[in-house]
Amino acid sequence: MSDALALASSRTHALILAGRGIRLSRRNVDAVITAMMLPIMLMLIFVYFFGGAIDTGTEYVTYVVPGVLLLCAGFGSAGTAVSVSEDMKGGIIDRFRSLDIGGVPILAGHVTASVARNVVSTTLVLGVALLIGFRPSATPAAALAAAGILFAFIAAISWLSAAIGLLAKSPEAAGGFTFFMMFLPYPSSAFVPIDTMPDWLHGFADHQPVTPVIESLRGLLLGLPVGSAPWVALAWCAGLLALALGLSGVLFRVRTA
């Protein structure tokens, strides 16, 4: 019974702290707007400035939207690392610990708030994409599968960002570390077919975590064959999530010892 009560208490703490994270986002409107608008601006730039010069075998807006959704997730998760680092630097973590709130609820609150922000921003990006010509042809089952894969990716990189926030010594450093995650969609099939890239880049582009997620979203949303891409994407998400959870637990104990 005590284990059940402890689990219920952790869930309650996580939800309360997630609400705190959302309220903090509402107070930091500039950062939220930037995280939401940058992917939209990049999508418009690629579609209207470069799309006419890139041959993907289909309308470029149709090709590029899955990659922009992942780019949006990367921008949104970067704020998680910064907010965790700010809490560590500001001493609020010590106050939470004095209230007998464990590390998991604290980090889960940040991650839950990040996922909520990402859901809003990806919905906004998808809405703009529909306005400029994106026309998915997914069945309800395929659309649900695409949403599940995208949600799994968002959860994985949000936890990874929380671990980065614990690792970084300052909020500025945390924001810098997350640049790598925001960069990953570029050397992938997000904006151009991989076979148009230099030969030495093919191996990395084919076997990095973002590519199977993008290929899964593109295939599911457009009614194209996906092969094993969804399973590879989910395996990457599960691996990243397991790594992030383990790393977060170790780093939290070290930083709060």
Side-chain angles (χ1 to χ4, degrees), residues 15 26 34 43 55 90 94 108 124 135 143-144 163 172 194 240:
L15 289 174
R26 288 165 53 189
T34 300
M43 178 173 63
D55 182 16
D94 293 331
L124 181 61
R135 296 294 180 265
L144 187 61
E172 294 77 13
I194 291 176
L240 290 174

Side-chain angles (χ1 to χ4, degrees), residues 114-164:
S114 173
V115 171
R117 291 193 300 268
N118 268 309
V119 168
V120 173
S121 59
T122 52
T123 301
L124 181 61
V125 167
L126 189 57
V128 174
L130 291 171
L131 289 176
I132 64 175
F134 178 60
R135 296 294 180 265
S137 55
T139 64
L144 187 61
I149 292 172
L150 182 59
F151 183 84
F153 180 78
I154 290 173
I157 63 170
S158 294
W159 270 106
L160 192 58
S161 293
I164 291 173

